[in-house]
Amino acid sequence: MEIKLELLPEEKRGRLSVHKNLPFGRIFTDHMFFMFYREEEGWQGACIKPYEPICLDPAAVVFHYSQTIFEGLKAYYGVDGRIRLFRPERNMARMNRSARRMCMPQIDEDFVLKALKKLVAIEREWIPREKGSALYIRPLMMGTEAFLGVKPSSEYIFFIILSPVGAYYKEGFNPVTIYITDKYVRAAPGGVGDVKTGGNYAASLMASEEAKRLGYTQVLWLDAVERRYVEEVGTMNIFFYFEDELATPALTGTILPGITRESVIQMAKDWGIPVKERRISIEEVLEGAESGRLKECFGTGTAAVISPVGCLAYKGKEYVINKGQTGPLARRLFEELTGIQYGEKPDPYGWIQFVP
Ligand SMILES: *Cc1c(COP(=O)(O)O)cnc(C)c1O
């Protein structure tokens, strides 16, 4: 499939007026990638065109039954002026995995990655250059058939939009405080917890609002069956650095298989740290925090990279980890990952793809 280009003339394009303190996800670039799908004909109409509103039938499947999936990755402006993507082929593969679970059509991963790179190349002037800032990339697919019956849509749209975002850590690499909810759950076995689908995030709002009201940054989710085993924190995977191992919940279908998670596991193993993907009970974590066996706790995800956790609140009691300070492992992982992403450090795993 060819990608048709309908680009704005130079004088009609916007530009990044500020490079500092960019908000997350509020500014969008001039152009978007777009294509659509019909059951008989497959994907068609691929184009890069001006960023514009989408017109859909009020009966479109997505509005009523949330048949939608998305991805999130970033383009980084390197210290050498080259534009880097971090493991984008993993995002493409995960999108197809999500599509399968939501009864949506597969995308051609190579083609969409090529389109993504082309779009980023066109919008290169929008990439903020301050270390820590980046161009956030949001691919999304949704069912658009106008039909109120509950069944997979026969029509879809797919698009990619871009948003320049500032550094996640504005006041230094400081730990967050986390609220452990035993009232709400994120995902149950057999459900869609391991899929990046819109409904999961709508379902999580209530718990995160409650956490914020109580003065905490994010929610830590426990498993839906026993409310005992740790799952994820907010929209990040979670790691616990115990005295003798780095532990993270195993991918049992209720947590999102994060690409940052996968990368952290690989690096820690290569540094000689034993890594275990296993069940981690909340008692083990809280006892570890009290006894000091738990040395560090941190979340991982594209937005924050590594997010150290300094305090956990559970059933009205607060448990402080590593005296509320960022630990050396979280710092080392953060430095190594961002070093690779901004081209300051070698890329021994071949994780980087360049935007030509
Ligand atoms: C996207 C996401 C993550 C992190 O995935 P990365 O690929 O590392 O960005 C973790 N948990 C949830 C629920 C997510 O949506």
Side-chain angles (χ1 to χ4, degrees):
M1 195 176 6
E2 237 185 277
I3 302 169
K4 208 169 114 203
L5 298 182
E6 299 166 29
L7 303 185
L8 285 170
E10 209 59 55
E11 70 275 11
K12 288 227 173 117
R13 293 193 197 178
R15 63 192 190 89
L16 201 53
S17 49
V18 284
H19 280 255
K20 285 202 187 307
N21 294 324
L22 283 163
F24 179 83
R26 291 197 181 272
I27 302 165
F28 299 97
T29 69
D30 292 317
H31 300 94
M32 63 196 285
F33 172 79
F34 185 90
M35 63 180 180
F36 65 98
Y37 177 96
R38 296 243 170 82
E39 210 154 60
E40 317 77 47
E41 299 136 54
W43 289 110
Q44 54 191 300
C47 63
I48 291 174
K49 63 178 186 179
Y51 183 100
E52 62 185 9
I54 288 165
C55 188
L56 292 179
D57 195 291
V61 169
V62 63
F63 293 146
H64 303 264
Y65 311 124
S66 299
Q67 198 190 11
T68 176
I69 55 170
F70 67 93
E71 271 302 324
L73 64 159
K74 284 174 173 173
Y76 307 88
Y77 189 88
V79 288
D80 53 1
R82 298 183 76 188
I83 302 164
R84 288 168 168 79
L85 300 170
F86 185 75
R87 311 186 77 180
E89 73 289 351
R90 303 294 299 138
N91 294 91
M92 298 297 117
R94 188 167 66 188
M95 187 137 201
N96 264 343
R97 211 178 134 270
S98 297
R100 222 168 286 128
R101 179 64 178 83
M102 303 304 284
C103 301
M104 299 167 85
Q106 294 288 289
I107 52 166
D108 176 337
E109 295 173 24
D110 293 335
F111 171 76
V112 171
L113 183 51
K114 214 175 73 192
L116 185 156
K117 286 180 181 169
K118 192 161 194 135
L119 178 64
V120 171
I122 288 167
E123 304 288 57
R124 60 192 313 132
E125 292 304 319
W126 283 95
I127 306 176
R129 299 185 176 187
E130 192 195 14
K131 169 96 195 259
S133 62
L135 189 64
Y136 186 79
I137 304 169
R138 169 56 59 87
L140 193 143
M141 193 200 299
M142 60 173 81
T144 54
E145 184 184 355
F147 178 58
L148 293 183
V150 178
K151 68 153 187 82
S153 179
S154 64
E155 295 172 12
Y156 296 85
I157 62 173
F158 175 97
F159 58 77
I160 304 172
I161 55 174
L162 306 176
S163 174
V165 296
Y168 194 87
Y169 297 100
K170 290 172 194 83
E171 294 108 32
F173 186 44
N174 295 320
V176 294
T177 58
I178 300 286
Y179 177 70
I180 305 171
T181 178
D182 54 0
K183 185 154 131 211
Y184 302 107
V185 294
R186 201 189 83 91
V192 292
D194 59 348
V195 180
K196 255 182 147 62
T197 183
N200 283 341
Y201 305 84
S204 76
L205 295 176
M206 187 90 130
S208 56
E209 286 304 295
E210 183 171 307
K212 273 183 213 145
R213 203 165 51 241
L214 294 167
Y216 300 99
T217 321
Q218 295 231 355
V219 174
L220 187 142
W221 302 99
L222 300 178
D223 79 282
V225 179
E226 295 182 58
R227 312 266 167 116
R228 182 168 173 217
Y229 296 98
V230 172
E231 299 238 305
E232 290 197 70
V233 53
T235 55
M236 287 186 287
N237 296 114
I238 190 152
F239 285 79
F240 299 93
Y241 188 27
F242 292 111
E243 254 157 16
D244 42 359
E245 61 168 7
L246 179 62
T248 191
L251 299 177
T252 51
T254 54
I255 68 171
L256 208 286
I259 295 158
T260 320
R261 174 188 181 279
E262 193 179 308
S263 309
V264 161
I265 290 173
Q266 169 115 50
M267 287 193 307
K269 279 183 180 165
D270 288 351
W271 295 344
I273 299 166
V275 182
K276 284 249 174 61
E277 295 174 66
R278 62 169 173 91
R279 280 183 139 201
I280 301 161
S281 73
I282 193 62
E283 294 89 15
E284 181 184 2
V285 168
L286 300 179
E287 279 166 24
E290 288 195 309
S291 71
R293 186 174 98 84
L294 175 61
K295 295 195 289 187
E296 296 185 37
C297 174
F298 52 85
T300 66
T302 295
V305 191
I306 303 288
S307 180
V309 175
C311 171
L312 296 168
Y314 185 61
K315 293 192 193 290
K317 192 171 163 202
E318 290 194 341
Y319 300 80
V320 174
I321 300 162
N322 192 37
K323 303 192 180 75
Q325 303 293 308
T326 297
L329 181 60
R331 196 172 293 278
R332 185 177 176 197
L333 287 162
F334 180 78
E335 294 298 329
E336 192 64 28
L337 276 168
T338 55
I340 293 171
Q341 289 163 346
Y342 290 90
E344 298 164 328
K345 294 198 173 186
D347 170 26
Y349 303 102
W351 283 341
I352 295 299
Q353 290 195 33
F354 291 98
V355 173

